[in-house]
Amino acid sequence: MRSFLLLGLFVLSFSSLQAQVLTFDHGEMEFYTNTVLSDIEAVTEEVEVKLDVQTGTIEIAVNINSFEFEYETMKEHFNDKYMESDKFPQATFKGKITQDISTINEELEVDGSGDLTIHGVSRKIEVKATLSKNDGLTVIKTKFPVVFKDYGVDDPSILTKPVAKNVEVKCTLYLKGDG
């Protein structure tokens, strides 16, 4: 009888921990850069996210090809010439939020650090974000700069003049429990 009770407690505690992993429900990731010739902006809603609220570990992945641009030609140049998305199809972030996020009752500013991998190159970065609740979902909002050359990506150029050296990445991600 005691074994059944312990087994029941173990199963309950395990399922409780499983319910603490949040995954992507909806939202978007975008990047923006202004150049001498024009502003360049792209957005995607195809993002994979896993956030363990018990440990603060977070994993984000985005397919490079999923970014939509104002013009199809921009998307082709971005994927073929600069990002080489056939060779490097995903950008990922694997890191940890340093604050305790096991309960989020109001907007909470957090710090995170981890490895951002773009174009096959990983670099440690630090980001600031806000976490909040909205209609039963956990919302993550963040923005941070990315310098192309830090990830082995040539600066986009026109007639050998660079038009952008870095971009601002902005995310608004809505997460739901999967348990």
Side-chain angles (χ1 to χ4, degrees), residues 37-163:
L37 300 174
S38 70
D39 295 342
I40 299 170
E41 190 172 1
V43 65
T44 183
E45 295 179 358
E46 298 177 31
V47 184
E48 294 177 32
V49 183
K50 286 186 182 176
L51 172 61
D52 185 325
V53 296
Q54 295 299 105
T55 64
T57 58
I58 185 166
E59 295 181 16
I60 301 172
V62 62
N63 287 326
I64 299 300
N65 269 321
S66 70
F67 281 100
E68 295 297 327
F69 291 77
E70 183 177 7
Y71 303 107
E72 187 63 28
T73 307
M74 292 172 110
K75 181 175 182 169
E76 289 171 11
H77 282 126
F78 175 76
N79 283 297
D80 297 340
K81 188 168 182 179
Y82 301 108
M83 296 301 291
E84 300 176 283
S85 58
D86 56 332
K87 262 171 77 172
F88 308 106
Q90 279 195 331
T92 61
F93 176 77
K94 294 181 181 182
K96 186 168 174 79
I97 295 171
T98 57
Q99 288 85 348
D100 178 12
I101 58 168
S102 58
T103 55
I104 303 167
N105 298 323
E106 57 190 47
E107 187 170 282
L108 177 66
E109 292 201 16
V110 296
D111 298 309
S113 63
D115 292 322
L116 178 63
T117 303
I118 299 174
H119 201 247
V121 177
S122 295
R123 296 182 59 90
K124 291 242 183 259
I125 65 165
E126 295 186 14
V127 295
K128 293 193 176 297
T130 58
L131 272 63
S132 61
K133 291 285 188 181
N134 184 352
D135 292 331
L137 299 173
T138 299
V139 183
I140 300 174
K141 291 185 179 183
T142 187
K143 69 179 171 181
F144 55 92
V146 172
V147 178
F148 282 128
K149 68 180 175 183
D150 288 349
Y151 295 91
V153 177
D154 293 334
D155 294 339
S157 61
I158 295 176
L159 302 174
T160 69
K161 301 268 189 214
V163 294

Side-chain angles (χ1 to χ4, degrees), residues 24-29 43-47 171-174:
F24 186 70
D25 183 72
H26 68 281
E28 67 182 22
M29 179 181 289
V43 65
T44 183
E45 295 179 358
E46 298 177 31
V47 184
C171 302
T172 302
L173 309 170
Y174 294 82

